[in-house]
């Protein structure tokens, strides 16, 4: 079955960087676009970044443009989110996601906390 294993979250000071990874299994990874979402306490889950199956096209939420970069390695079945210049408002649980035949699949989430 479709599975995601996310890693790379943690506690970092404002202005710092983190790199999230999401290792996928159970489907043909290279055939599907991937995305990262996040959910902060008391807020709805929101799209952070998405990438096409080839990696040729990416899209970002306005709040992270210029600071975050989504990428993928189809040979490793892994999607990444490089997060730079982190702010307190980036604090959230980050989830990787894909849609296969109209069905949404989510990872378990990784906590990112930005605090001094």
């Amino acid at each position: 079955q479709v599975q995601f294993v996310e890693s790379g979250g943690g506690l970092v000071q404002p202005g710092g960087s983190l790199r999230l990874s999401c290792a996928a299994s159970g489907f043909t990874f290279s055939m599907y676009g991937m995305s990262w979402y996040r959910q902060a306490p008391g807020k709805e889950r929101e799209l952070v970044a998405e990438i096409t199956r080839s990696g040729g096209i990416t899209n970002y939420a306005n709040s992270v443009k210029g600071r975050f970069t989504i990428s993928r390695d189809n040979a490793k079945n892994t999607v990444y989110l490089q997060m730079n210049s982190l702010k307190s408002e980036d604090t959230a649980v980050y989830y990787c996601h894909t849609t296969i035949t109209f069905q949404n699949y989510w990872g378990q989430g990784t906590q990112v906390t930005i605090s001094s």
Side-chain angles (χ1 to χ4, degrees):
Q1 71 275 26
V2 175
Q3 286 189 322
F4 299 122
V5 178
E6 294 140 334
S7 60
L11 172 65
V12 66
Q13 292 185 342
S17 298
L18 283 173
R19 188 194 195 205
L20 306 183
S21 300
C22 172
S25 62
F27 66 105
T28 307
F29 181 77
S30 60
M31 294 296 292
Y32 295 92
M34 294 292 300
S35 53
W36 285 95
Y37 281 72
R38 67 186 180 187
Q39 187 165 20
K43 295 188 176 182
E44 293 187 355
R45 194 170 295 190
E46 63 173 355
L47 176 66
V48 175
E50 55 190 349
I51 188 167
T52 54
R53 56 187 181 180
S54 69
I57 299 173
T58 57
N59 183 50
Y60 298 91
N62 287 335
S63 58
V64 308
K65 277 182 182 176
R67 300 188 298 122
F68 289 14
T69 302
I70 189 171
S71 62
R72 66 190 295 161
D73 185 339
N74 285 346
K76 295 182 178 180
N77 287 359
T78 301
V79 60
Y80 304 96
L81 186 67
Q82 177 66 44
M83 305 186 295
N84 299 328
S85 302
L86 284 161
K87 306 175 181 180
S88 58
E89 51 264 44
D90 296 318
T91 294
V93 178
Y94 284 71
Y95 300 90
C96 62
H97 165 268
T98 195
T99 301
I100 301 173
T101 317
F102 308 110
Q103 176 70 45
N104 288 311
Y105 295 91
W106 300 92
Q108 82 285 356
T110 184
Q111 176 69 47
V112 171
T113 303
I114 315 303
S115 176
S116 55

